[in-house]
Amino acid sequence: YVFQQYDRREDGSLVPLAKRNIDTGGGLERLAQVLQGVLPDNFRTDLFAPLVKKIEALSGHGYGEATATDRSIRIVADHARAASFLIADGIAPSNEWRGYVLRRLLRRGVLHARRLGLRTGSLAVVSGEVVKTMQRYHHELTGARDRIAETIGDEEAKFERTLVAGLDHLNDAVSAAR
């Protein structure tokens, strides 16, 4: 719950609050933690557990086994979920505005997927789990399922080509410097 700076009265008048911009931290994920008894870990709630299980199955890493892999599992799950909703809302990866945010989310997700040993296309697979898990409550995901998978898959492939080209340039520069 976030409160801004005014209390709007029934007559429409605005009265300044004694304490402005208070955030209680009671968002969906936090409430799910409390209600499901999995404090303090969002990723053990029913909002993320199916995604974590999918990533575990794809990577062979178990959540809770190691700090480094746990971090990557959380990032892949979170970024696949966020990207799926952004794409369902009609946003496409680009180098400007909202599209740039989506592109950065996907690229960071891809880097962490690689740290888990996942292949290109894995983020698109996880996004399929996002749709499967969330479509009951977020119907926009159902209609966008194919677009989500295609957009994420395409962006993963583009980023993979960028990484390979960058490593080739780096290797050439290192060889030339010797």
Side-chain angles (χ1 to χ4, degrees):
Y1 301 91
V2 178
F3 302 93
Q4 295 302 313
Q5 67 188 66
Y6 297 107
D7 177 22
R8 182 181 300 269
R9 299 293 167 101
E10 285 188 36
D11 66 359
S13 63
L14 299 176
V15 177
L17 294 171
K19 298 199 179 207
R20 298 182 307 191
N21 299 317
I22 299 168
D23 184 347
T24 64
L28 177 63
E29 288 86 1
R30 185 72 48 89
L31 292 175
Q33 284 178 35
V34 171
L35 293 173
Q36 295 172 25
V38 293
L39 288 170
D41 193 349
N42 286 344
F43 295 89
R44 295 198 188 278
T45 66
D46 62 357
L47 299 169
F48 281 105
L51 309 180
V52 168
K53 284 184 186 359
K54 178 60 90 174
I55 296 163
E56 288 175 323
L58 292 170
S59 70
H61 293 286
Y63 186 64
E65 291 177 359
T67 304
T69 55
D70 286 356
R71 181 172 187 263
S72 290
I73 289 170
R74 288 191 302 265
I75 289 169
V76 170
D78 182 64
H79 288 29
R81 185 178 82 152
S84 296
F85 277 96
L86 288 169
I87 295 165
D89 283 345
I91 298 168
S94 72
N95 290 328
E96 298 177 344
W97 300 97
R98 299 176 304 179
Y100 185 70
V101 171
L102 174 58
R103 177 163 282 155
R104 296 295 300 155
L105 277 171
L106 289 171
R107 288 183 173 193
R108 186 166 185 245
V110 167
L111 288 173
H112 281 274
R114 288 182 76 160
R115 289 180 183 172
L116 293 168
L118 298 176
R119 296 177 183 206
T120 301
S122 297
L123 213 59
V125 172
V126 176
S127 76
E129 194 66 28
V130 171
V131 173
K132 181 179 162 189
T133 302
M134 304 276 185
Q135 68 185 348
R136 180 174 173 198
Y137 304 103
H138 300 279
H139 305 291
E140 68 274 16
L141 293 172
T142 307
R145 174 193 326 267
D146 294 339
R147 184 166 31 93
I148 291 167
E150 182 180 332
T151 301
I152 292 176
D154 288 350
E155 196 65 22
E156 282 184 273
K158 285 179 192 174
F159 188 47
E160 181 67 27
R161 287 191 299 272
T162 300
L163 289 174
V164 168
L167 286 173
D168 287 345
H169 288 303
L170 178 63
N171 289 334
D172 291 345
V174 168
S175 293
R178 290 185 183 173

